[in-house]
C-alpha cells in the first residue's frame, strides 16, 4: 500500500516563538506534515490557541509537550483541563504516581499520556549533578519506562538509542514510543546528545519521531519534511 506524504510518524516540533510564527510554518509545510508538537516554550505565545486552531480548523494531530510534574491532584486537574481541547498526545514525567494521576485526568478522552523517561538532552554528567542514582543511562531509561507503562502510560518519550531496549519490555507491547533527538544524516546536533537518524529510529521500534530545527531552520522547510518522510518510508 502506498503511503501518503502525510505519514504521521513524523511529528514536527514547533519550537518557534509564538502562534503567529507557528501558523506561518504550518502554511509552509502544508500537506507535507499532519502532526505537530507544541511545547512549554510557546505556552505564553498562544500555544494552546495554536494547538486548537491546527486541530479544529486544519485537521492536524497535536502533541502537547508540557512534561507535567506536580502532586497527583494537581496533575489530574491540569490534564482534565487540557483534555477538553481534544488533542492527541500529552507528556508527563514518568514517575508512576504522576502517570496514574494523568490517566485519571484523561479518563473518557482519547488523549494519550506519554511518560518522559530521561530527557534526550542529558548525559551521565547531568544526571550526577541532579543526584540521580548511579547507572548507565540506557538501564535507567528502560527501568523508568517499564514502571511508567505499568502505571498506565499509553507510551513513553525516549531517546532513539534506548528505543530497542524499551520495545523489548513486556510492558511495552501495544504501547507508543515517541522519540525526540532524531536528526537526518548530516544535520547539526543542536542541544541533543543522544541522537539517531529517522531510519534507525524506525528500525529500533519507534512509532513517531519528533524533528524540529532540521525542518523549520531549513531554507525550504517543506522540502526538508518531505525528505524525512521519504527516509521513513524506506528505512
Amino acid at each position: 500500500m502506498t503511503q501518503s506524504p502525510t505519514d504521521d510518524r513524523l511529528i514536527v516540533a514547533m519550537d518557534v516563538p509564538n502562534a503567529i510564527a507557528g501558523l506561518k510554518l504550518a502554511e509552509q509545510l502544508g500537506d507535507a506534515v499532519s502532526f505537530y508538537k507544541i511545547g512549554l516554550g510557546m505556552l505564553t505565545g498562544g500555544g494552546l490557541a495554536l494547538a486548537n486552531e491546527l486541530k479544529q480548523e486544519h485537521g492536524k494531530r497535536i502533541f502537547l509537550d508540557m512534561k507535567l510534574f506536580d502532586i497527583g491532584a494537581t496533575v489530574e486537574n491540569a490534564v482534565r483541563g487540557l483534555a477538553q481541547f481534544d488533542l492527541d498526545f500529552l507528556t508527563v514525567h514518568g514517575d508512576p504516581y504522576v502517570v496514574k494521576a494523568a490517566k485519571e485526568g484523561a479518563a473518557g478522552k482519547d488523549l494519550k499520556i506519554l511518560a518522559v523517561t530521561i530527557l534526550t538532552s542529558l548525559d551521565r554528567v547531568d544526571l550526577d549533578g541532579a543526584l540521580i542514582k548511579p547507572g548507565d543511562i540506557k538501564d535507567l531509561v528502560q527501568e523508568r519506562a517499564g514502571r511508567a507503562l505499568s502505571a498506565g502510560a499509553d507510551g513513553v518519550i525516549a531517546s532513539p538509542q534506548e528505543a530497542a531496549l524499551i520495545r523489548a519490555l513486556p510492558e511495552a507491547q501495544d504501547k507508543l514510543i515517541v522519540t525526540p533527538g532524531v536528526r537526518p544524516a548530516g544535520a547539526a546536533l543542536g542541544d541533543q546528545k543522544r541522537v539517531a537518524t529517522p531510519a534507525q529510529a524506525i528500525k529500533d521500534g519507534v512509532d513517531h519521531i519528533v524533528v524540529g530545527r532540521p525542518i523549520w531552520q531549513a531554507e525550504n522547510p517543506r522540502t526538508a519534511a518531505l525528505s524525512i518522510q521519504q527516509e521513513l518510508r524506506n528505512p
Side-chain angles (χ1 to χ4, degrees):
M1 183 177 69
T2 302
Q3 292 176 317
S4 73
T6 53
D7 182 342
D8 72 359
R9 289 180 296 178
L10 171 63
I11 301 176
V12 172
M14 279 203 166
D15 298 327
V16 293
N18 52 52
I20 294 174
L23 281 174
K24 181 179 179 181
L25 176 61
E27 289 173 2
Q28 289 177 306
L29 294 171
D31 63 1
V33 174
S34 61
F35 211 151
Y36 287 99
K37 180 176 84 74
I38 295 174
L40 193 60
M42 203 200 283
L43 190 61
T44 58
L48 285 177
L50 174 63
N52 193 54
E53 182 167 346
L54 288 174
K55 178 76 176 184
Q56 302 302 328
E57 298 184 25
H58 299 274
K60 305 298 185 181
R61 300 186 71 193
I62 299 296
F63 166 15
L64 197 61
D65 187 19
M66 295 288 107
K67 300 183 181 71
L68 298 178
F69 181 71
D70 212 310
I71 64 171
T74 299
V75 170
E76 181 179 343
N77 288 334
V79 173
R80 184 172 292 114
L82 292 170
Q84 69 181 331
F85 290 96
D86 191 32
L87 306 179
D88 297 274
F89 295 170
L90 172 69
T91 49
V92 303
H93 275 261
D95 303 57
Y97 83 89
V98 174
V99 171
K100 290 176 183 177
K103 286 295 291 181
E104 286 293 325
K109 301 291 186 179
D110 292 330
L111 179 65
K112 301 295 187 186
I113 300 299
L114 304 181
V116 174
T117 55
I118 294 175
L119 299 177
T120 54
S121 60
L122 303 181
D123 57 20
R124 187 63 251 185
V125 173
D126 298 314
L127 298 188
D128 290 341
L131 302 180
I132 302 299
K133 75 175 186 178
D136 185 82
I137 285 184
K138 291 182 180 180
D139 294 335
L140 296 179
V141 167
Q142 187 181 42
E143 183 178 359
R144 279 182 62 80
R147 292 186 181 191
L149 293 170
S150 294
D154 298 296
V156 295
I157 306 294
S159 157
Q161 295 184 13
E162 289 98 40
L165 290 174
I166 293 172
R167 182 54 72 200
L169 290 170
E171 299 92 336
Q173 185 174 356
D174 300 323
K175 300 290 187 176
L176 295 165
I177 299 177
V178 179
T179 65
V182 174
R183 293 289 184 270
L189 297 184
D191 57 6
Q192 300 291 350
K193 296 178 180 176
R194 304 188 336 268
V195 302
T197 64
Q200 187 61 50
I202 294 301
K203 287 179 181 177
D204 287 340
V206 168
D207 296 286
H208 298 273
I209 65 169
V210 180
V211 182
R213 277 165 288 197
I215 290 177
W216 57 258
Q217 284 186 344
E219 184 175 345
N220 188 322
R222 179 179 169 84
T223 298
L226 289 173
S227 177
I228 294 173
Q229 297 275 19
Q230 181 65 28
E231 187 175 348
L232 290 176
R233 288 193 288 272
N234 299 284

